[in-house]
Amino acid sequence: MTNWLPTLSEGEGPIYVRLADRIEADIAAGALAAGMKLPPQRNLAFDLGVTIGTIGRAYALVRERGLVSGEVGRGTFVLGSGDEPARQPQQEVFGGTRFAPTPGKLRMDSTAAPDVGQARQISELAARIARDHAADMLDYVRQPLPAWLEAGRAWLSRTGWQPSSDSIVPTAGAHAAIMAVIAAMTAPGDRIVFEALTYSSIARSAALIGRRPVMVEIDADGMIPEDFEHVCAQQHPKLAFLMPSLHNPTLATLPERRLTEIVGIARRHNVWLIEDMVFGNLVEGAPGLLVSLAPERTFHVGSLSKSVAAGLRTGWVACPPHTAQRVHIASRMVAGSLPTFLMSETAARLVLSGEAEAIRRTVRAETAAREAMAKTILAGSDFASRPDIPFLWMKLPEPWLSGLFRRAVADEGVLVDEEDEYKPVRTERNHHRIRVGFSSVASRDDVARGFDTIRRVLEGGIAGHDSFG
């Protein structure tokens, strides 16, 4: 343990923020070297004349900034800026990630495209492909076919921007595309920026392969450029993951001004950008795109999961110049192979025939009908929603915590996501919100039953639910 006692007379803001800033400054100056152990919270609280809670909040803040690691039973240690991967307890990487649904419960913790009758179209198309290309289905896919690249180009194109076919890499879904980019463009120990709320499965996956997730603050409009600048200057991340056209879970859309600022910051600090358009693909019109402002550093990712069918496991990434082959190789190495012939060919034919676009329009109409049901059944509740997006971001009334509310509605047969599912790093910050998905539920009657259950639990209050046992 280092013999370190900071002075907090300088700086602005609460004591815990000044202490966190002091720790960060001393790490940058070398006064706190990599591997050093910070003083125990109780000891430092006594020496500074503050509460243990103040020290705990400061240590949590520098942990969120990716500067230290907390190890249960050992203490808090300064992380190095080299290539050594951050040591994370396995429960932090895997915690909160659910792969198997609970039988007999309504899945309002998922946002796969709803069943609008597309299964028949897809099954008939897949049967024709299986009949006509039986030999192709028996072998590995070694190179994507030109039609698969063209389908990716067509699906990812937006008004005012179109990728070239040779920039496209087909993958087994958007998650696989993002991980291929991370594997290709970063090394173990590199820091990757995530928004304070995000699709955290990517952050956990990145941590699992030795990358260091770091957090940037958000507000009602999305990522705060000033905090992104601060993190880039202090921690030198290699890559940032954003959802600017439709943020999951807050439903924010980054204003044009912020897009421009973020691009400028990324250029100054040489940061690659991943633009996740999985939900943005459902938004009509042409919201601002990072890739249109910074094509030289933006990986633009989309898939069919929310707008056509999640089971197709098909996605594409449009890559900056001279990086597509690198991502293609990384995708094969990380996933073990390219997407299967059957899935890739089925997706390509759906897109190129126009059937995928027709399904997307039907999905949007069904989503709007279900969102209208939420506004009726949950009238008076505080939530953000959009007619084209298949989830709600709901504020819980006092004194509900999101984890307790999730357990309460699960006891009533409904699964929802608590806010911790969307935190890229461990943090003490609470938003008191849940995400309620309504597209994976089989019928509108079941959707109504799920919304009714949530309303009843809210109206019944917390008294009938506890956190014991």
Side-chain angles (χ1 to χ4, degrees):
M1 178 177 64
T2 183
N3 183 20
W4 174 78
L5 184 63
T7 58
L8 304 178
S9 57
E10 298 179 355
E12 299 179 353
I15 293 176
Y16 81 92
V17 174
R18 280 185 275 156
L19 176 56
D21 290 343
R22 183 73 264 159
I23 293 171
E24 183 172 336
D26 285 355
I27 290 173
L32 290 171
M36 281 187 172
K37 181 179 179 181
L38 295 184
Q41 295 183 27
R42 186 177 298 277
N43 294 5
L44 189 57
F46 178 83
D47 290 340
L48 294 177
V50 299
T51 67
I52 295 176
T54 296
I55 305 300
R57 293 182 73 183
Y59 279 22
L61 189 55
V62 290
R63 186 168 59 241
E64 291 172 11
R65 294 176 182 177
L67 300 174
V68 301
S69 66
E71 302 184 15
V72 177
R74 295 192 61 221
T76 301
F77 295 84
V78 176
L79 293 171
S81 59
D83 289 339
E84 303 86 359
R87 298 188 302 275
Q88 297 200 29
Q90 290 293 335
Q91 63 267 26
E92 289 189 23
V93 176
F94 293 106
T97 302
R98 299 190 301 277
F99 294 99
T102 304
K105 296 187 185 293
L106 289 180
R107 293 297 308 274
M108 303 190 88
D109 60 345
S110 176
T111 51
D115 181 357
V116 292
Q118 70 270 54
R120 180 185 55 79
Q121 296 169 261
I122 293 171
S123 62
E124 290 176 356
L125 176 57
R128 290 197 300 272
I129 294 170
R131 183 184 64 242
D132 298 340
H133 297 273
D136 294 318
M137 291 175 53
L138 296 178
D139 200 358
Y140 295 112
V141 174
R142 291 178 169 82
Q143 287 293 331
L145 297 181
W148 302 354
L149 304 181
E150 176 59 22
R153 186 204 64 78
W155 190 252
L156 296 181
S157 293
R158 309 287 287 186
T159 302
W161 175 80
Q162 291 186 346
S164 61
S165 293
D166 60 5
S167 75
I168 301 296
V169 177
T171 63
H175 187 113
I178 294 163
M179 291 308 300
V181 173
I182 289 173
M185 309 310 297
T186 67
D190 284 345
R191 292 178 169 88
I192 299 176
V193 165
F194 293 90
E195 293 154 295
L197 293 167
T198 188
Y199 175 50
S200 64
S201 288
I202 294 296
R204 294 171 187 152
S205 298
L208 191 62
I209 61 171
R211 277 59 171 178
R212 298 181 184 177
V214 294
M215 190 180 79
V216 168
E217 293 294 343
I218 61 174
D219 60 16
D221 286 330
M223 179 180 281
I224 300 174
E226 293 79 7
D227 198 50
F228 182 42
E229 178 91 65
H230 175 80
V231 168
C232 287
Q234 294 292 328
Q235 302 194 47
H236 313 294
K238 291 294 182 67
L239 186 149
F241 171 78
L242 299 93
M243 296 172 279
S245 293
L246 196 289
H247 183 267
N248 177 24
T250 68
L251 295 107
T253 299
L254 269 177
E256 289 279 358
R257 177 183 58 80
R258 286 200 182 183
L259 286 169
T260 302
E261 291 178 20
I262 287 168
V263 164
I265 294 165
R267 283 179 172 144
R268 284 196 296 277
H269 296 278
N270 197 26
V271 176
W272 296 104
L273 300 171
I274 296 179
E275 180 172 41
D276 182 343
M277 279 290 289
V278 172
F279 285 106
N281 188 256
L282 287 167
V283 177
E284 278 294 331
L289 298 177
L290 287 171
V291 71
S292 65
L293 297 175
E296 83 286 355
R297 67 183 56 254
T298 302
F299 296 86
H300 185 81
V301 177
S303 78
L304 302 180
S305 62
K306 312 304 180 185
S307 46
V308 178
L312 283 172
R313 303 310 306 138
T314 304
W316 299 272
V317 52
C319 302
H322 315 300
T323 62
Q325 183 64 14
R326 188 172 176 179
V327 173
H328 171 76
I329 293 171
S331 177
R332 293 186 64 172
M333 295 178 71
V334 170
S337 68
L338 290 174
T340 67
F341 182 92
L342 179 60
M343 294 296 97
S344 297
E345 183 68 12
T346 301
R349 293 193 188 187
L350 285 170
V351 171
L352 296 177
S353 68
E355 289 181 85
E357 179 57 37
I359 293 170
R360 174 163 55 180
R361 289 195 297 269
T362 307
V363 163
R364 283 171 47 84
E366 179 65 20
T367 299
R370 296 185 179 198
E371 191 255 358
M373 293 167 59
K375 288 183 174 178
T376 299
I377 297 172
L378 298 172
S381 298
D382 183 358
F383 61 84
S385 69
R386 289 179 53 130
D388 46 9
I389 301 301
F391 62 83
L392 318 173
W393 184 231
M394 176 175 283
K395 178 77 170 178
L396 298 172
E398 293 286 354
W400 283 108
L401 298 174
S402 64
L404 180 55
F405 188 84
R406 179 183 63 81
R407 291 192 294 272
V409 293
D411 289 343
E412 300 294 328
V414 176
L415 301 179
V416 299
D417 280 325
E418 62 179 294
E419 64 184 52
D420 284 352
E421 284 289 322
Y422 302 96
K423 294 178 179 178
V425 299
R426 187 170 60 188
T427 173
E428 297 177 352
R429 195 165 311 160
N430 290 315
H431 303 271
H432 306 294
R433 288 184 179 267
I434 57 168
R435 196 193 76 163
V436 183
F438 49 79
S439 56
S440 294
V441 180
S443 68
R444 292 187 190 180
D445 286 344
D446 285 338
V447 171
R449 181 161 59 89
F451 289 152
D452 277 330
T453 299
I454 292 170
R455 177 183 52 77
R456 282 191 290 102
V457 173
L458 286 170
E459 291 176 349
I462 200 171
H465 306 276
D466 60 49
S467 57
F468 302 107

PDB file of all heavy atoms in Angstrom, residues 22 77 98 110 122 134 189 201 204 231 277 296 312 339 373 391 414 416 419 428 435 447 463 469:
ATOM      1  N   ARG A  22      -8.321  14.202  -7.903  1.00  0.00           N
ATOM      2  CA  ARG A  22      -6.956  14.179  -7.353  1.00  0.00           C
ATOM      3  C   ARG A  22      -6.280  12.841  -7.631  1.00  0.00           C
ATOM      4  O   ARG A  22      -5.108  12.772  -8.005  1.00  0.00           O
ATOM      5  CB  ARG A  22      -7.017  14.446  -5.852  1.00  0.00           C
ATOM      6  CG  ARG A  22      -5.681  14.519  -5.127  1.00  0.00           C
ATOM      7  CD  ARG A  22      -4.967  15.806  -5.459  1.00  0.00           C
ATOM      8  NE  ARG A  22      -3.995  15.639  -6.535  1.00  0.00           N
ATOM      9  CZ  ARG A  22      -3.523  16.628  -7.283  1.00  0.00           C
ATOM     10  NH1 ARG A  22      -3.944  17.857  -7.099  1.00  0.00           N
ATOM     11  NH2 ARG A  22      -2.644  16.396  -8.212  1.00  0.00           N
ATOM     12  N   PHE A  77      -6.681  -1.072  -6.514  1.00  0.00           N
ATOM     13  CA  PHE A  77      -5.357  -0.982  -7.116  1.00  0.00           C
ATOM     14  C   PHE A  77      -5.385  -0.112  -8.366  1.00  0.00           C
ATOM     15  O   PHE A  77      -6.346  -0.132  -9.137  1.00  0.00           O
ATOM     16  CB  PHE A  77      -4.843  -2.377  -7.487  1.00  0.00           C
ATOM     17  CG  PHE A  77      -4.601  -3.268  -6.306  1.00  0.00           C
ATOM     18  CD1 PHE A  77      -5.642  -3.990  -5.742  1.00  0.00           C
ATOM     19  CD2 PHE A  77      -3.328  -3.372  -5.746  1.00  0.00           C
ATOM     20  CE1 PHE A  77      -5.429  -4.804  -4.644  1.00  0.00           C
ATOM     21  CE2 PHE A  77      -3.114  -4.182  -4.641  1.00  0.00           C
ATOM     22  CZ  PHE A  77      -4.160  -4.906  -4.087  1.00  0.00           C
ATOM     23  N   ARG A  98     -28.449 -12.995 -19.119  1.00  0.00           N
ATOM     24  CA  ARG A  98     -29.328 -14.161 -19.103  1.00  0.00           C
ATOM     25  C   ARG A  98     -29.411 -14.749 -20.497  1.00  0.00           C
ATOM     26  O   ARG A  98     -29.597 -14.039 -21.477  1.00  0.00           O
ATOM     27  CB  ARG A  98     -30.732 -13.767 -18.630  1.00  0.00           C
ATOM     28  CG  ARG A  98     -30.767 -13.192 -17.231  1.00  0.00           C
ATOM     29  CD  ARG A  98     -32.202 -13.057 -16.756  1.00  0.00           C
ATOM     30  NE  ARG A  98     -32.988 -12.208 -17.614  1.00  0.00           N
ATOM     31  CZ  ARG A  98     -33.016 -10.890 -17.543  1.00  0.00           C
ATOM     32  NH1 ARG A  98     -32.293 -10.273 -16.659  1.00  0.00           N
ATOM     33  NH2 ARG A  98     -33.766 -10.178 -18.367  1.00  0.00           N
ATOM     34  N   SER A 110     -37.207  -8.742 -23.918  1.00  0.00           N
ATOM     35  CA  SER A 110     -36.628  -8.997 -25.231  1.00  0.00           C
ATOM     36  C   SER A 110     -37.308  -8.099 -26.256  1.00  0.00           C
ATOM     37  O   SER A 110     -38.457  -7.697 -26.073  1.00  0.00           O
ATOM     38  CB  SER A 110     -36.816 -10.468 -25.620  1.00  0.00           C
ATOM     39  OG  SER A 110     -36.348 -10.719 -26.926  1.00  0.00           O
ATOM     40  N   ILE A 122     -40.422 -16.759 -44.782  1.00  0.00           N
ATOM     41  CA  ILE A 122     -39.027 -17.150 -44.571  1.00  0.00           C
ATOM     42  C   ILE A 122     -38.865 -18.655 -44.735  1.00  0.00           C
ATOM     43  O   ILE A 122     -37.891 -19.124 -45.350  1.00  0.00           O
ATOM     44  CB  ILE A 122     -38.560 -16.676 -43.178  1.00  0.00           C
ATOM     45  CG1 ILE A 122     -38.523 -15.138 -43.145  1.00  0.00           C
ATOM     46  CG2 ILE A 122     -37.194 -17.241 -42.842  1.00  0.00           C
ATOM     47  CD1 ILE A 122     -38.294 -14.556 -41.774  1.00  0.00           C
ATOM     48  N   ALA A 134     -28.323 -27.673 -52.043  1.00  0.00           N
ATOM     49  CA  ALA A 134     -28.034 -28.662 -51.000  1.00  0.00           C
ATOM     50  C   ALA A 134     -26.534 -28.837 -50.789  1.00  0.00           C
ATOM     51  O   ALA A 134     -26.050 -28.914 -49.638  1.00  0.00           O
ATOM     52  CB  ALA A 134     -28.682 -29.999 -51.357  1.00  0.00           C
ATOM     53  N   GLY A 189      -6.150  -5.008 -23.260  1.00  0.00           N
ATOM     54  CA  GLY A 189      -5.713  -3.876 -22.445  1.00  0.00           C
ATOM     55  C   GLY A 189      -6.190  -2.534 -22.947  1.00  0.00           C
ATOM     56  O   GLY A 189      -6.210  -1.558 -22.190  1.00  0.00           O
ATOM     57  N   SER A 201     -24.150  -5.986 -23.004  1.00  0.00           N
ATOM     58  CA  SER A 201     -23.581  -7.270 -23.401  1.00  0.00           C
ATOM     59  C   SER A 201     -22.303  -7.079 -24.219  1.00  0.00           C
ATOM     60  O   SER A 201     -21.396  -7.913 -24.157  1.00  0.00           O
ATOM     61  CB  SER A 201     -24.596  -8.073 -24.214  1.00  0.00           C
ATOM     62  OG  SER A 201     -25.634  -8.552 -23.397  1.00  0.00           O
ATOM     63  N   ARG A 204     -19.544  -6.358 -21.640  1.00  0.00           N
ATOM     64  CA  ARG A 204     -19.141  -7.588 -20.960  1.00  0.00           C
ATOM     65  C   ARG A 204     -18.334  -8.484 -21.887  1.00  0.00           C
ATOM     66  O   ARG A 204     -17.350  -9.106 -21.474  1.00  0.00           O
ATOM     67  CB  ARG A 204     -20.380  -8.318 -20.456  1.00  0.00           C
ATOM     68  CG  ARG A 204     -21.121  -7.567 -19.359  1.00  0.00           C
ATOM     69  CD  ARG A 204     -22.455  -8.218 -19.046  1.00  0.00           C
ATOM     70  NE  ARG A 204     -23.218  -7.392 -18.112  1.00  0.00           N
ATOM     71  CZ  ARG A 204     -24.524  -7.379 -18.047  1.00  0.00           C
ATOM     72  NH1 ARG A 204     -25.236  -8.138 -18.853  1.00  0.00           N
ATOM     73  NH2 ARG A 204     -25.147  -6.617 -17.174  1.00  0.00           N
ATOM     74  N   VAL A 231     -12.569  11.944 -21.152  1.00  0.00           N
ATOM     75  CA  VAL A 231     -12.151  10.543 -21.101  1.00  0.00           C
ATOM     76  C   VAL A 231     -11.074  10.269 -22.151  1.00  0.00           C
ATOM     77  O   VAL A 231     -10.094   9.564 -21.887  1.00  0.00           O
ATOM     78  CB  VAL A 231     -13.363   9.614 -21.294  1.00  0.00           C
ATOM     79  CG1 VAL A 231     -12.922   8.175 -21.532  1.00  0.00           C
ATOM     80  CG2 VAL A 231     -14.273   9.676 -20.073  1.00  0.00           C
ATOM     81  N   MET A 277     -26.826   0.553 -35.450  1.00  0.00           N
ATOM     82  CA  MET A 277     -28.088   1.002 -36.047  1.00  0.00           C
ATOM     83  C   MET A 277     -29.189  -0.053 -35.937  1.00  0.00           C
ATOM     84  O   MET A 277     -30.153  -0.023 -36.706  1.00  0.00           O
ATOM     85  CB  MET A 277     -27.863   1.339 -37.518  1.00  0.00           C
ATOM     86  CG  MET A 277     -27.270   2.702 -37.757  1.00  0.00           C
ATOM     87  SD  MET A 277     -28.428   4.044 -37.395  1.00  0.00           S
ATOM     88  CE  MET A 277     -29.581   3.853 -38.752  1.00  0.00           C
ATOM     89  N   GLU A 296     -14.191   7.802 -42.489  1.00  0.00           N
ATOM     90  CA  GLU A 296     -12.840   7.249 -42.403  1.00  0.00           C
ATOM     91  C   GLU A 296     -12.575   6.510 -41.094  1.00  0.00           C
ATOM     92  O   GLU A 296     -11.568   5.806 -40.962  1.00  0.00           O
ATOM     93  CB  GLU A 296     -11.802   8.379 -42.566  1.00  0.00           C
ATOM     94  CG  GLU A 296     -11.485   9.176 -41.307  1.00  0.00           C
ATOM     95  CD  GLU A 296     -12.587  10.162 -40.868  1.00  0.00           C
ATOM     96  OE1 GLU A 296     -13.585  10.308 -41.607  1.00  0.00           O
ATOM     97  OE2 GLU A 296     -12.430  10.792 -39.808  1.00  0.00           O
ATOM     98  N   LEU A 312     -32.936 -15.199 -37.890  1.00  0.00           N
ATOM     99  CA  LEU A 312     -32.096 -15.292 -39.076  1.00  0.00           C
ATOM    100  C   LEU A 312     -30.618 -15.101 -38.752  1.00  0.00           C
ATOM    101  O   LEU A 312     -29.755 -15.490 -39.543  1.00  0.00           O
ATOM    102  CB  LEU A 312     -32.527 -14.253 -40.117  1.00  0.00           C
ATOM    103  CG  LEU A 312     -33.786 -14.587 -40.917  1.00  0.00           C
ATOM    104  CD1 LEU A 312     -34.211 -13.409 -41.771  1.00  0.00           C
ATOM    105  CD2 LEU A 312     -33.550 -15.812 -41.793  1.00  0.00           C
ATOM    106  N   PRO A 339     -21.109 -16.638 -41.401  1.00  0.00           N
ATOM    107  CA  PRO A 339     -22.491 -17.093 -41.226  1.00  0.00           C
ATOM    108  C   PRO A 339     -22.806 -18.226 -42.207  1.00  0.00           C
ATOM    109  O   PRO A 339     -22.216 -18.324 -43.279  1.00  0.00           O
ATOM    110  CB  PRO A 339     -23.317 -15.842 -41.532  1.00  0.00           C
ATOM    111  CG  PRO A 339     -22.386 -14.700 -41.318  1.00  0.00           C
ATOM    112  CD  PRO A 339     -21.029 -15.191 -41.672  1.00  0.00           C
ATOM    113  N   MET A 373     -51.155   0.704 -26.939  1.00  0.00           N
ATOM    114  CA  MET A 373     -51.729  -0.022 -25.811  1.00  0.00           C
ATOM    115  C   MET A 373     -51.036   0.365 -24.509  1.00  0.00           C
ATOM    116  O   MET A 373     -51.679   0.538 -23.465  1.00  0.00           O
ATOM    117  CB  MET A 373     -51.597  -1.533 -26.045  1.00  0.00           C
ATOM    118  CG  MET A 373     -52.438  -2.068 -27.195  1.00  0.00           C
ATOM    119  SD  MET A 373     -51.979  -3.759 -27.661  1.00  0.00           S
ATOM    120  CE  MET A 373     -52.267  -4.628 -26.126  1.00  0.00           C
ATOM    121  N   PHE A 391     -39.932  -0.909 -27.138  1.00  0.00           N
ATOM    122  CA  PHE A 391     -39.738  -0.973 -25.691  1.00  0.00           C
ATOM    123  C   PHE A 391     -40.062   0.372 -25.061  1.00  0.00           C
ATOM    124  O   PHE A 391     -40.092   1.406 -25.732  1.00  0.00           O
ATOM    125  CB  PHE A 391     -38.316  -1.424 -25.319  1.00  0.00           C
ATOM    126  CG  PHE A 391     -37.214  -0.500 -25.780  1.00  0.00           C
ATOM    127  CD1 PHE A 391     -36.854   0.625 -25.047  1.00  0.00           C
ATOM    128  CD2 PHE A 391     -36.503  -0.780 -26.941  1.00  0.00           C
ATOM    129  CE1 PHE A 391     -35.835   1.466 -25.455  1.00  0.00           C
ATOM    130  CE2 PHE A 391     -35.474   0.052 -27.372  1.00  0.00           C
ATOM    131  CZ  PHE A 391     -35.149   1.174 -26.625  1.00  0.00           C
ATOM    132  N   VAL A 414     -44.157 -11.969 -15.296  1.00  0.00           N
ATOM    133  CA  VAL A 414     -43.693 -11.079 -16.361  1.00  0.00           C
ATOM    134  C   VAL A 414     -42.211 -10.784 -16.158  1.00  0.00           C
ATOM    135  O   VAL A 414     -41.795 -10.434 -15.045  1.00  0.00           O
ATOM    136  CB  VAL A 414     -44.496  -9.763 -16.381  1.00  0.00           C
ATOM    137  CG1 VAL A 414     -43.941  -8.803 -17.429  1.00  0.00           C
ATOM    138  CG2 VAL A 414     -45.970 -10.039 -16.647  1.00  0.00           C
ATOM    139  N   VAL A 416     -39.036  -8.369 -17.054  1.00  0.00           N
ATOM    140  CA  VAL A 416     -38.596  -7.074 -17.582  1.00  0.00           C
ATOM    141  C   VAL A 416     -37.111  -6.924 -17.271  1.00  0.00           C
ATOM    142  O   VAL A 416     -36.534  -7.717 -16.517  1.00  0.00           O
ATOM    143  CB  VAL A 416     -39.397  -5.900 -16.978  1.00  0.00           C
ATOM    144  CG1 VAL A 416     -40.873  -6.022 -17.295  1.00  0.00           C
ATOM    145  CG2 VAL A 416     -39.169  -5.798 -15.461  1.00  0.00           C
ATOM    146  N   GLU A 419     -32.350  -1.746 -14.636  1.00  0.00           N
ATOM    147  CA  GLU A 419     -31.390  -0.813 -15.214  1.00  0.00           C
ATOM    148  C   GLU A 419     -29.966  -1.353 -15.230  1.00  0.00           C
ATOM    149  O   GLU A 419     -29.164  -0.989 -16.102  1.00  0.00           O
ATOM    150  CB  GLU A 419     -31.422   0.518 -14.475  1.00  0.00           C
ATOM    151  CG  GLU A 419     -31.002   0.420 -13.011  1.00  0.00           C
ATOM    152  CD  GLU A 419     -31.139   1.753 -12.303  1.00  0.00           C
ATOM    153  OE1 GLU A 419     -32.223   2.351 -12.367  1.00  0.00           O
ATOM    154  OE2 GLU A 419     -30.156   2.188 -11.678  1.00  0.00           O
ATOM    155  N   GLU A 428     -22.367   2.981  -8.663  1.00  0.00           N
ATOM    156  CA  GLU A 428     -23.353   3.131  -7.591  1.00  0.00           C
ATOM    157  C   GLU A 428     -24.519   4.018  -8.009  1.00  0.00           C
ATOM    158  O   GLU A 428     -25.457   4.211  -7.242  1.00  0.00           O
ATOM    159  CB  GLU A 428     -22.671   3.715  -6.344  1.00  0.00           C
ATOM    160  CG  GLU A 428     -21.600   2.802  -5.773  1.00  0.00           C
ATOM    161  CD  GLU A 428     -20.887   3.423  -4.589  1.00  0.00           C
ATOM    162  OE1 GLU A 428     -21.131   4.630  -4.318  1.00  0.00           O
ATOM    163  OE2 GLU A 428     -20.109   2.724  -3.931  1.00  0.00           O
ATOM    164  N   ARG A 435     -36.581  -1.358 -18.317  1.00  0.00           N
ATOM    165  CA  ARG A 435     -36.949  -1.387 -19.734  1.00  0.00           C
ATOM    166  C   ARG A 435     -37.983  -2.485 -19.943  1.00  0.00           C
ATOM    167  O   ARG A 435     -37.794  -3.626 -19.512  1.00  0.00           O
ATOM    168  CB  ARG A 435     -35.745  -1.657 -20.630  1.00  0.00           C
ATOM    169  CG  ARG A 435     -36.016  -1.299 -22.091  1.00  0.00           C
ATOM    170  CD  ARG A 435     -34.971  -1.847 -23.042  1.00  0.00           C
ATOM    171  NE  ARG A 435     -35.143  -3.274 -23.266  1.00  0.00           N
ATOM    172  CZ  ARG A 435     -34.598  -3.943 -24.281  1.00  0.00           C
ATOM    173  NH1 ARG A 435     -33.830  -3.313 -25.149  1.00  0.00           N
ATOM    174  NH2 ARG A 435     -34.785  -5.240 -24.409  1.00  0.00           N
ATOM    175  N   VAL A 447     -49.673  -9.042 -24.616  1.00  0.00           N
ATOM    176  CA  VAL A 447     -49.056  -7.740 -24.343  1.00  0.00           C
ATOM    177  C   VAL A 447     -49.899  -6.962 -23.343  1.00  0.00           C
ATOM    178  O   VAL A 447     -49.389  -6.393 -22.372  1.00  0.00           O
ATOM    179  CB  VAL A 447     -48.879  -6.935 -25.646  1.00  0.00           C
ATOM    180  CG1 VAL A 447     -48.434  -5.501 -25.337  1.00  0.00           C
ATOM    181  CG2 VAL A 447     -47.857  -7.609 -26.553  1.00  0.00           C
ATOM    182  N   ALA A 463     -45.182  -2.443  -0.522  1.00  0.00           N
ATOM    183  CA  ALA A 463     -45.416  -3.094   0.777  1.00  0.00           C
ATOM    184  C   ALA A 463     -45.547  -4.602   0.666  1.00  0.00           C
ATOM    185  O   ALA A 463     -45.120  -5.334   1.553  1.00  0.00           O
ATOM    186  CB  ALA A 463     -46.669  -2.516   1.427  1.00  0.00           C
ATOM    187  N   GLY A 469     -34.971 -13.528   1.203  1.00  0.00           N
ATOM    188  CA  GLY A 469     -35.187 -14.895   0.746  1.00  0.00           C
ATOM    189  C   GLY A 469     -34.850 -15.135  -0.660  1.00  0.00           C
ATOM    190  O   GLY A 469     -34.155 -14.552  -1.361  1.00  0.00           O
TER     191      GLY A 469
END
